[in-house]
Amino acid sequence: MAEPVRIAVLASGGGSNFQALVDRFSRRDTPGRRVVGVIASREGAGVLERARRAGVASAILPASTDDDRTATFLLRTLAGWRSEIVVLAGYMKLVPEPVVRAHWGRILNIHPALLPSFGGQGMYGARVHRAVVDSGARVTGVTVHFVDEAYDRGPILCQWPVPVLAGDTPASVGARVLAVEHRLLPAAVEALASGIVRLDADGRVRWSREWFDSERFFNRED
Ligand code: GRF
């Protein structure tokens, strides 16, 4: 059997998206995928405890404002795990350009809104859902996009809508969005790992035709 596709995660928070990836790719029916490690941007991040319980390797980014030092640490750690796909799951720092370049087209981010709306620097966590509720928007959602050198700007791989209901608070919207994240992120990573979506040289997202033509998308149980 071919070597499993090796998936590394970068996170800063509780790690529920990391957990969704581990749950999805550690099942017996997914021998071709493996979450090989998580890099936390700070000590004490809840994702580290999840990694320990799941038996997944972890590393902690050294506190440094020096981009080169951060880039060197990330590149060395990801190379050490022979990472093929890198997933930012609640990672609160900008990814240094050398890391983006080294993993161009193989590094994804998940954002809890329909980018480009409600995205960009400073738009994270409850702030996003507060802005959505205050805007009166009736629909928000989840975005998975390829990472480039800016926050939340890279080419979009997929999105899923989430309704905003009367009486919603940022917390109730956030919970509804997070539940969708936990399904959309593993599906997006699987699409990239299986090659039915890719980022081509000029930065356009290419989905394979047979995926859309097949009934699989609408009938699949993932
Ligand atoms: C998620 O809402 C994700 O969209 C955002 O940060 C949050 C991370 O949550 N980027 P968790 O740490 O995965 O629970």
Side-chain angles (χ1 to χ4, degrees):
M1 192 206 48
E3 270 278 296
V5 173
R6 302 170 68 84
I7 301 156
V9 178
L10 274 56
S12 302
S16 69
N17 276 290
F18 162 81
Q19 190 68 54
L21 292 170
V22 169
D23 295 347
R24 174 74 169 70
F25 294 124
S26 58
R27 295 182 335 206
R28 272 189 308 285
D29 65 348
T30 56
R33 313 283 181 258
R34 192 167 147 234
V35 178
V36 293
V38 59
I39 299 174
S41 61
R42 60 181 179 81
E43 298 262 0
V47 69
L48 291 168
E49 174 55 21
R50 289 182 186 273
R52 192 190 60 74
R53 280 205 304 269
V56 173
S58 63
I60 297 171
L61 198 60
S64 160
T65 53
D66 175 74
D67 255 7
D68 292 345
R69 187 149 175 258
T70 301
T72 304
F73 181 87
L74 291 173
L75 288 169
R76 191 171 295 156
T77 306
L78 293 170
W81 291 334
R82 289 189 291 118
S83 312
E84 295 168 81
I85 291 177
V86 181
V87 182
L88 308 188
Y91 185 67
M92 303 306 277
K93 291 174 69 106
L94 206 53
V95 179
E97 196 187 350
V99 181
V100 174
R101 252 201 327 274
H103 295 274
W104 180 255
R106 313 288 290 170
I107 180 167
L108 301 178
N109 180 45
I110 184 164
H111 183 77
L114 294 177
L115 292 177
S117 303
F118 307 110
Q121 185 150 17
M123 285 302 273
Y124 55 84
R127 294 181 182 192
V128 174
H129 310 307
R130 162 57 62 203
V132 166
V133 170
D134 291 350
S135 75
R138 305 299 301 277
V139 177
T140 184
V142 180
T143 301
V144 179
H145 64 92
F146 289 96
V147 170
D148 66 8
E149 295 77 7
Y151 282 109
D152 302 334
R153 187 189 67 186
I156 290 173
L157 186 150
C158 62
Q159 296 188 300
W160 197 271
V162 174
V164 181
L165 307 175
D168 259 334
T169 62
S172 58
V173 174
R176 194 175 304 123
V177 166
L178 195 59
V180 172
E181 291 181 51
H182 294 162
R183 288 180 63 79
L184 191 65
L185 185 58
V189 171
E190 174 55 30
L192 183 61
S194 57
I196 53 175
V197 68
R198 63 180 172 78
L199 187 64
D200 68 13
D202 57 10
R204 277 185 299 187
V205 180
R206 302 275 190 187
W207 282 89
S208 71
R209 172 159 302 289
E210 61 271 13
W211 193 58
F212 283 96
D213 296 347
S214 78
E215 283 306 303
R216 201 152 52 95
F217 177 66
F218 297 98
N219 301 335
R220 63 177 302 153
E221 272 308 302
D222 66 348

